[in-house]
Amino acid sequence: MRPLILRHSLSLDGYAAAPAGVRDDFFLEYDQDEAFVAHMATVLGSAGVHAMGARTYHDMAGYWPFQTGPEADAMNAIPKVVFSRSPIDTPWATTTVCSGDLATEVARLKAQDGGPILAHGGVRFAQALVLADLVDEYHLLVGPFAHGGGSPLFTELTRLQLIGVKSFPRGNLALTYSRPDAAPS
């Protein structure tokens, strides 16, 4: 059974999305931090499938197909699954739409052969995965800034076990957590 890994960005004060009207500064100076870019390429390339909500899919499909480099190669070559209850256009190659119950669709994906399911997405999609207890491992990317408010990733007590920490020259952190009862993938 392959794991579902949730890759999500957080501010230092724990918010997964900025308050309304405030610019998100996730990945501050991202392109100027070669070590962080290399780390992200490795994370993206390790996936067997990229899973995301409809809004994130729309944003990524408008960006990644027109980019080059290791991150773009991973995002474009690896199959994508987009979760949407309504019909959507899927212009990005290798995309499948899942419109059924989230837990049922994720269980079906986990039962398939292949590498990990790497979930990307907006805070609502991420929160839905967390609340349904579908996440096996968390790759949390913490930027060197605080929002002072916004939308949290976690909306109820969620116990996790730290299994990895990486820091980068521009102040970004990559924190990896698993469920306390799960072996790391």
Side-chain angles (χ1 to χ4, degrees):
M1 190 156 207
R2 62 183 176 174
L4 185 140
I5 298 169
L6 175 61
R7 187 205 61 81
H8 212 284
S9 302
L10 299 174
S11 60
L12 278 174
D13 51 352
Y15 292 101
V22 174
R23 182 176 161 238
D24 264 332
D25 281 332
F26 289 120
F27 308 120
L28 192 64
E29 301 180 30
Y30 172 86
D31 291 332
Q32 297 172 17
D33 191 335
E34 291 179 18
F36 190 64
V37 170
H39 170 76
M40 288 302 300
T42 299
V43 169
L44 295 173
S46 70
V49 65
H50 292 281
M52 59 199 80
R55 183 173 295 157
T56 297
Y57 175 82
H58 179 266
D59 292 345
M60 287 189 173
Y63 177 77
W64 285 113
F66 310 102
Q67 304 305 308
T68 59
E71 290 172 289
D73 293 346
M75 288 303 297
N76 291 319
I78 295 170
K80 272 83 51 197
V81 173
V82 59
F83 289 84
S84 178
R85 294 209 185 274
S86 54
I88 63 167
D89 289 331
T90 55
W92 205 0
T94 67
T95 298
T96 302
V97 177
C98 290
S99 58
D101 173 72
L102 182 64
T104 302
E105 295 283 8
V106 168
R108 184 182 58 76
L109 288 171
K110 284 183 173 186
Q112 294 175 356
D113 290 334
I117 303 160
L118 185 61
H120 313 266
V123 70
R124 287 191 336 227
F125 177 64
Q127 286 172 339
L129 293 170
V130 173
L131 287 171
D133 197 26
L134 300 173
V135 180
D136 299 298
E137 194 170 289
Y138 293 83
H139 288 202
L140 302 178
L141 306 168
V142 181
F145 57 89
H147 281 314
S151 298
L153 175 58
F154 301 100
T155 58
E156 61 184 38
L157 178 64
T158 305
R159 297 201 185 276
L160 301 173
Q161 178 179 348
L162 182 66
I163 59 174
V165 176
K166 288 186 180 183
S167 63
F168 299 93
R170 299 275 184 182
N172 292 298
L173 297 172
L175 307 175
T176 305
Y177 290 89
S178 68
R179 299 169 186 237
D181 60 345
S185 63

